[in-house]
């Protein structure tokens, strides 16, 4: 009976997996599926042959055939209950920006905020991206010393393990940086961050673009309070702000404070996961592009604390005008759509934070690398709905749901449409979070937080002409800091 069950399972898996392959190829789904058109009929022939074999056994050898059918039925039922027969269909639209794959619950930051009332998620995100970028550059040249103030020895060992024939890492662009977990452990607070980035490696004289998906675990002694944003973003001593390298004993050469071990500032304790692979084409949706995008019909997700948060916000900002804020949202929304469609992302700088700018530049460069252009034309904002108001010690944020419609399509270098529709408009909605500094808490800054060189103001952005570092600050006006699809918010 055990051999019979094994044979039945093999027959069922062979038949069903062939069917799934046909559905996957025939469905088209996305660029990476290589799809288009239907199957070649070979899978259907195999299924038909297996069914003929089973039917022949039932009538010619019922003692064997009937139990075989029963076992096949049991196997199929168990596979269905376990979800093994489910298939996924690529439904990502090409509407800018790219949609998030699944709904994510926000990380619980209570463990860190309960001991640090000055913790700011936007500032922390800027900080960890600076550490990540500097660490990758030092991985390229094999220099550990500049990282010892920010990374534990075992974390540096893990990072530097991937250095075969490597001579340079540069052009680091962030696709996403997310806090996924915070916790306490043996007197330390730990915050885990996932990074999606695109960078250029030189190995053996050959340049290659690499996509990275990594998880880094940061830790800091519990009870330590975050310094002001300018010091966090300067990667300097949290006590005095000095950016000089620590002494051999790990102390600051200016004020003598500890600069290692997570005693006064965050350090990378571990890198539990890292996946680096060659750059691949972006996934494209090959549907007709028109109609209503999935999730647009869903109810707006309103924070249950919104009424109280709105009263508190209006009390702190008696001159705030909601119509003027909506105008700012519309201007930013349309400006970013135009910059994306024209592939002129410098236009977007006054309207979004540096982190979001890097995310969009990541996708723009990925499209460009494979000669794709995503066009978004005739954009119209039809409605804006308030969803959430939040604040920390330094920043205020407002999340709104933007309802819009546009013609959206993707074309290749020859002008052929490979996704979406050039004629049929698509209706969609997205959640946009806008950020600004609480008046008097964050200085706009006159020097680069990375290298100290003077900054030249340019609209809402400041750009370092010395090292290329960029900072778009909420100290200027409301700027977009996060964009999420409505079925993933």
């Amino acid at each position: 009976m055990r051999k019979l069950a094994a044979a039945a399972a093999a027959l069922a898996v062979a038949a069903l997996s062939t069917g799934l392959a046909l559905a996957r190829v025939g469905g088209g789904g996305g660029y990476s599926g290589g799809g288009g058109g239907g199957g070649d009929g070979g899978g259907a022939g195999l299924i038909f042959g297996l069914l003929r074999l089973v039917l022949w056994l039932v009538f010619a050898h019922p003692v064997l055939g009937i139990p075989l059918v029963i076992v096949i039925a049991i196997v199929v039922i168990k596979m269905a209950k376990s979800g093994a027969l489910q298939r996924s269909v690529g439904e990502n639209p090409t509407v800018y920006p790219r949609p998030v794959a699944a709904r994510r619950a926000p990380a619980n930051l209570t463990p860190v905020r309960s001991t640090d009332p000055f913790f700011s998620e936007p500032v922390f995100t800027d900080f960890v991206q600076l550490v990540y970028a500097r660490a990758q550059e030092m991985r390229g040249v094999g220099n550990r010393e500049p990282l010892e103030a920010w990374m534990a020895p075992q974390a540096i060992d893990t990072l530097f393990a991937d250095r075969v024939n490597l001579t340079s890492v540069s052009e680091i662009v962030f696709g996403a940086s997310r806090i996924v977990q915070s916790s306490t452990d043996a007197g330390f607070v730990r915050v885990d961050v996932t990074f999606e980035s695109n960078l250029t490696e030189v190995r053996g004289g050959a340049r290659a673009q690499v996509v990275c998906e990594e998880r880094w675990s940061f830790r800091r002694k519990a009870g330590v309070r975050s310094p002001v944003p300018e010091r966090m973003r300067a990667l300097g001593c949290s006590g005095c702000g000095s950016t000089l390298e620590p002494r051999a004993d790990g102390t600051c050469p200016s004020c003598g404070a500890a600069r290692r071990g997570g005693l006064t500032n965050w350090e990378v304790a571990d890198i539990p996961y890292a996946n680096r692979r060659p750059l691949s084409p972006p996934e494209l949706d090959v549907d007709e592009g028109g109609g209503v995008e999935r999730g647009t019909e869903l109810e707006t997700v309103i924070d249950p604390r919104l009424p109280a948060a709105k009263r508190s916000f209006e009390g702190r900002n008696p001159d705030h005008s909601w119509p003027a804020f909506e105008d700012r949202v519309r201007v930013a929304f349309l400006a970013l759509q135009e910059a994306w469609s024209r592939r002129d992302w410098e236009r977007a700088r006054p309207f979004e934070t540096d982190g979001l700018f890097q995310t969009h530049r990541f996708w723009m460069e990925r499209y460009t690398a494979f000669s794709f252009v995503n066009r978004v034309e005739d954009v119209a904002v039809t409605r804006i709905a308030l969803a959430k108001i939040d604040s920390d010690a330094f920043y205020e944020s407002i999340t709104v749901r933007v309802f819009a419609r546009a013609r959206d399509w993707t074309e290749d270098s020859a002008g052929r449409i490979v996704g979406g529709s050039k004629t049929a408009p698509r209706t969609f909605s997205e959640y946009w979070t806008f950020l600004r500094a609480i008046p008097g808490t964050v200085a706009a800054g006159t020097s680069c937080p990375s290298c100290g060189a003077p900054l030249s103001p340019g609209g809402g952005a400041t750009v370092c002409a010395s090292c290329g570092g960029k900072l778009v600050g909420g100290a200027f006006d409301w700027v977009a800091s996060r964009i999420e699809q409505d079925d993933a918010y």
Side-chain angles (χ1 to χ4, degrees), residues 275-299:
N275 178 21
R276 304 184 185 106
R277 63 188 186 277
L279 183 68
S280 59
E283 294 184 358
L284 301 177
D285 188 10
V286 294
D287 65 13
E288 294 182 356
V292 179
E293 190 170 294
R294 182 187 63 184
T296 306
E297 77 286 352
L298 298 175
E299 293 289 331

Side-chain angles (χ1 to χ4, degrees), residues 11-32:
L11 284 170
V13 170
L16 290 166
S17 63
T18 303
L20 289 177
L22 283 170
R24 196 172 297 119
V25 173
Y31 182 91
S32 62

Side-chain angles (χ1 to χ4, degrees), residues 22 31 74 79 124 136 163 166 170 186 197 202 212 241 266 268 282 284 352 372 399 447 481:
L22 283 170
Y31 182 91
I74 294 173
M79 291 175 69
F124 179 79
Q136 294 291 358
R163 290 209 68 254
L166 183 66
S170 61
S197 66
V202 178
C212 306
W266 297 99
V268 183
L284 301 177
E352 60 180 3
F372 291 138
T399 300
S447 61
S481 65

Side-chain angles (χ1 to χ4, degrees), residues 2 20 29 42-43 45 114 144 152 154 156-157 182 194 209 221 255 260 279 297 362 367 370 373 421 425 429 466 488:
R2 184 172 299 171
L20 289 177
S114 63
R144 300 170 58 101
Q154 62 269 26
I156 299 177
D157 291 341
S182 70
T194 58
Q209 285 188 293
K221 190 173 180 61
C255 69
R260 295 179 184 169
L279 183 68
E297 77 286 352
F362 169 90
Y367 270 66
F370 292 93
V373 180
S421 173
S429 67
S466 177

Side-chain angles (χ1 to χ4, degrees), residues 232-290:
M232 280 284 286
R233 292 177 174 131
L235 292 188
C237 173
S238 60
C240 67
S242 171
T243 57
L244 297 175
E245 297 295 336
R247 299 190 185 102
D249 62 357
T251 59
C252 174
S254 297
C255 69
R259 290 277 303 276
R260 295 179 184 169
L263 298 178
T264 59
N265 210 338
W266 297 99
E267 76 161 4
V268 183
D270 190 19
I271 304 177
Y273 174 78
N275 178 21
R276 304 184 185 106
R277 63 188 186 277
L279 183 68
S280 59
E283 294 184 358
L284 301 177
D285 188 10
V286 294
D287 65 13
E288 294 182 356

Side-chain angles (χ1 to χ4, degrees), residues 288-291 377 405-409 420-427:
E288 294 182 356
E377 301 289 349
R405 65 175 179 272
R407 291 185 296 112
D408 165 46
W409 72 96
S421 173
K422 195 173 183 177
T423 57
R426 179 191 288 261
T427 300

